[in-house]
Amino acid sequence: MPRTAKKPTRSKLVKKLDVVFSKYIRLSSANNRGMCTCVTCGKQYHWKNIQAGHFMSRKHYSTRWDERNVKSQCVGCNMFKSGEQYKYSLFLGSELANELYLKSKDIVKFSSQDLQDMIEDYQAKLKTFQ
């Protein structure tokens, strides 16, 4: 009897989407030499050496994969300085920062199919950088 492929778990889909989304964010902000600028300190790093920093924490699924909420951030600002949220808000502007704050309070539950669809969308977007 042939084995059927197991469906990926929800947590595996979330992790895969995080990886694909992060790569897309970093590549989309890179210049033609692959360099990105940290939105909070202004230092430049190669896209492979910078992170996708979230203005509103990743724990808020309503904004976790919102491209307006995620920008290139160096490890120092994103991890060691807790995201430099105030400086991040200055970069975004008060109107967008407030909009993302309010949106982050929404409770959303993405289905496994929603997550899979987003993975496929961002994989397709990544192909434009190759």
Side-chain angles (χ1 to χ4, degrees):
M1 204 173 199
R3 289 183 138 179
T4 57
K6 287 191 341 187
K7 287 185 178 179
T9 63
R10 181 177 167 71
S11 64
K12 287 195 187 308
L13 288 171
V14 167
K15 285 179 186 175
K16 186 172 183 177
L17 179 54
D18 282 342
V19 169
V20 174
F21 182 74
S22 171
K23 187 174 181 181
Y24 170 76
I25 292 296
R26 292 175 290 132
L27 279 170
S28 65
S29 68
N31 65 19
N32 58 357
R33 293 186 346 262
M35 301 299 286
C36 298
T37 303
C38 174
V39 298
T40 48
C41 73
K43 293 179 184 173
Q44 286 205 326
Y45 298 87
H46 190 269
W47 74 268
K48 291 182 179 179
N49 300 322
I50 203 162
Q51 297 180 342
H54 291 70
F55 172 63
M56 295 309 302
S57 171
R58 289 182 349 147
K59 72 181 180 182
H60 303 290
Y61 275 67
S62 55
T63 53
R64 185 173 184 146
W65 300 292
D66 185 326
E67 293 177 30
R68 302 168 307 155
N69 186 56
V70 187
K71 306 292 178 203
S72 295
Q73 241 184 344
C74 70
V75 176
C77 290
N78 193 34
M79 300 290 287
F80 304 122
K81 295 181 182 172
S82 302
E84 291 278 24
Q85 194 173 35
Y86 176 72
K87 288 181 181 178
Y88 206 139
S89 72
L90 295 176
F91 173 81
L92 294 174
S94 61
E95 188 175 323
L96 179 55
N98 191 49
E99 183 181 334
L100 290 169
Y101 169 75
L102 294 173
K103 183 178 180 186
S104 75
K105 302 302 175 196
D106 293 342
I107 297 174
V108 298
K109 171 111 176 164
F110 293 105
S111 69
S112 292
Q113 188 59 54
D114 292 335
L115 297 170
Q116 187 61 48
D117 290 346
M118 286 190 279
I119 289 167
E120 291 169 10
D121 287 347
Y122 282 105
Q123 285 174 331
K125 288 180 177 184
L126 280 172
K127 288 182 181 175
T128 65
F129 296 107
Q130 297 171 348

